Amino acid sequence: MLPELQLIIGWIAIISPLLHILSDILEVFGGGYTASQLWINYIAFLPIPFLMIGLYAFQRPRSSWMSLTGAIAYGTSFIFFAGTTLYALVSKTADYSTLVEELGSIYSFHGGLMVAGGILFSMAVIRARILPRWTGWLLILGVSLNLLFRLLAFPDLTQIVGSIVRNIAFVGMGVAILRTKS
């Protein structure tokens, strides 16, 4: 991999998840969505498809079909989630609960795509042993928490717990990439 591309992927893997965590914190302390919080969220979501393909490429040639399939599924779900952020901005949606209610099954479908993609990609990370294995396990934990909290009808705010866990996994991958000599 070109050193410049490795540097870009590493920094995106750190900055984008940290912006998402900031967005979640602003949502909690703001009592729901605000325009500035949603813009930060949108900026955090935009590079995710590129990031996922970059993480897949970084693990080549030891990455597998699981890595590529997981990266595409996870990245595709975030194309949709970026769109939901714009929807929330335009429609002035109050909070996550309202957004999920308004979008219904299409939102749930993409949530499922994120979970499936995240698990596939994580399994590939664990197998390839190029990125730290703990990041793969943490990503599995994060998407599983998101699924579990949704299925058990926990308050929608608990989704932030799974998001933070997922984002820490990606930050760990980014740090590992930046520490790797190309």
Side-chain angles (χ1 to χ4, degrees), residues 17-79:
L18 289 177
L19 284 172
H20 189 205
I21 290 171
L22 173 61
S23 171
D24 285 345
I25 291 168
L26 292 172
E27 181 181 348
V28 169
F29 287 112
Y33 290 163
T34 63
S36 58
Q37 175 267 326
L38 287 170
W39 279 113
I40 292 168
N41 195 64
Y42 181 67
I43 291 166
F45 285 180
L46 275 180
I48 298 296
F50 166 78
L51 172 62
M52 295 308 296
I53 296 302
L55 291 171
Y56 159 75
F58 181 77
Q59 297 179 93
R60 294 215 15 94
R62 291 172 69 184
S63 56
S64 65
W65 67 269
M66 278 194 312
S67 181
L68 181 58
T69 304
I72 290 170
Y74 195 91
T76 299
S77 70
F78 275 85
I79 293 170

Side-chain angles (χ1 to χ4, degrees), residues 10 12 22 41 52 63 67 82-83 87 94 102 122 124 131 142 151 157 160:
I12 289 174
L22 173 61
N41 195 64
M52 295 308 296
S63 56
S67 181
Y87 172 85
E102 289 175 356
S122 296
L131 294 169
L151 292 176
L157 200 55
I160 290 173

Side-chain angles (χ1 to χ4, degrees), residues 169-180:
F170 286 117
V171 169
M173 290 178 199
V175 170
I177 289 170
L178 293 178
R179 288 185 174 169
T180 302

